[in-house]
Amino acid sequence: MTRSDKFWDRKAEEYARSPISDEASYQKKLSDTQKFFTPDMNILEFGCGTGTTAICHAPHVQHIEAVDISENMLEIGRTKAREACIDNIRFTRGTLTEFNAESASFDAVLGLNVIHLLPDRRDVLAEAARILKPGGVFVSSTVCMGNSYIRFIKLLAPLGKFMGLMPDVFILTKVKLEKEIQDAGFTIEVLWQHGMHNMVVFIIARKI
C-alpha cells in the first residue's frame, strides 16, 4: 500500500461525511455530463472516491466501472449503492492503468477531482483515450492552482505528504491542462470554471 492509499483510507469516513462545498456547481456538472449520456452507454470513473457521482449517473447509463485506490472509500461506495438500490455499478480497487480495460471499450471516462493528484497524469490521459471508443467523451474536474497565489503549496506539499497530512498534489494551470488533454487526442467541447479564483476547471472533451 502506498502513502497515498493510506491517506485516502484514513480519510474515507471523514470524506464521506463532508458536504459538497459548491452544490450548485456540482449539480451543473452532473447535468452537463448527463447531456452526453444515453441509456446504452458503458462508462468508467477513476478516482471515484465514495461513489457519490457514479450513483448519481447510474440511472442514466447501462453500466459503470468505478475505480479507486482506496478500499475504504470503495466499501463506503458499495454500501451507498446498495442503500440506493443501484445495481449497475462495479467498484474495483486500483488505478486506471491497473484496471487494464480493452481498447475502445467505453463510451465515457470520468476523472473528477483527481488529475491534479496524479504524478503520471499524461499517461492516465493517454490511457483514457485508449479505452474510449471513437467519439467517446472524457469528463474531468481539476483543481488548477498554477494561476493562483496559493501555488506556493507546492513548497509545502512534500512535507505534508511525508507527515501523512496530504496526498500528492501537482500544480497545473488551465492552459497546461487544456493542452495536455488535447495532446492526448481530445477536442474540448465544454469548459467552465468555478471556485476560489476560478481554480476548478470542468472539461468535457471528445476523443478525436
Side-chain angles (χ1 to χ4, degrees), residues 7 20 57 99 125 128 155 162 181 183-184 187 191:
F7 174 85
I20 295 169
H57 287 322
F99 189 78
L125 292 172
L155 303 176
F162 177 77
I181 290 174
D183 288 348
T187 180
L191 187 155

Side-chain angles (χ1 to χ4, degrees), residues 13-162:
E13 292 289 345
E14 177 185 346
Y15 184 88
R17 293 193 302 269
S18 300
I20 295 169
S21 60
D22 184 347
E23 183 68 32
S25 293
Y26 180 67
Q27 292 300 323
K28 179 172 169 54
K29 291 174 188 179
L30 294 176
S31 176
D32 284 0
T33 302
Q34 288 166 8
K35 291 174 185 176
F36 287 80
F37 287 167
T38 58
D40 61 342
M41 290 178 74
N42 290 310
I43 72 174
L44 182 148
E45 181 186 357
F46 66 95
C48 69
T50 59
T52 299
T53 299
I55 290 167
C56 289
H57 287 322
H60 301 274
V61 298
Q62 179 171 303
H63 182 75
I64 299 177
E65 296 286 352
V67 181
D68 198 276
I69 62 171
S70 168
E71 183 59 36
N72 289 356
M73 291 272 198
L74 292 169
E75 192 54 43
I76 292 170
R78 293 182 187 108
T79 299
K80 288 163 61 175
R82 285 195 299 270
E83 291 175 348
C85 298
I86 297 293
D87 61 2
N88 62 334
I89 303 175
R90 182 173 69 172
F91 293 91
T92 303
R93 183 180 181 276
T95 65
L96 177 63
T97 52
E98 289 170 345
F99 189 78
N100 196 28
E102 293 184 7
S103 296
S105 57
F106 286 95
D107 301 288
V109 172
L110 282 59
L112 306 170
N113 303 314
V114 66
I115 292 176
H116 59 287
L117 306 177
L118 302 176
D120 59 343
R121 65 177 181 272
R122 293 177 184 83
D123 292 339
V124 171
L125 292 172
E127 178 69 359
R130 183 187 72 80
I131 67 175
L132 275 170
K133 298 175 183 178
V137 293
F138 174 64
V139 183
S140 64
S141 182
T142 306
V143 177
C144 293
M145 293 183 286
N147 295 329
S148 166
Y149 73 90
I150 66 169
R151 60 185 177 275
F152 71 83
I153 196 173
K154 68 183 177 182
L155 303 176
L156 303 176
L159 178 61
K161 182 183 177 185
F162 177 77

Side-chain angles (χ1 to χ4, degrees), residues 175-190:
V175 171
K176 186 173 185 180
L177 176 65
E178 287 182 78
K179 185 177 187 305
E180 291 182 0
I181 290 174
Q182 291 166 336
D183 288 348
F186 296 97
T187 180
I188 294 173
E189 297 196 359
V190 174

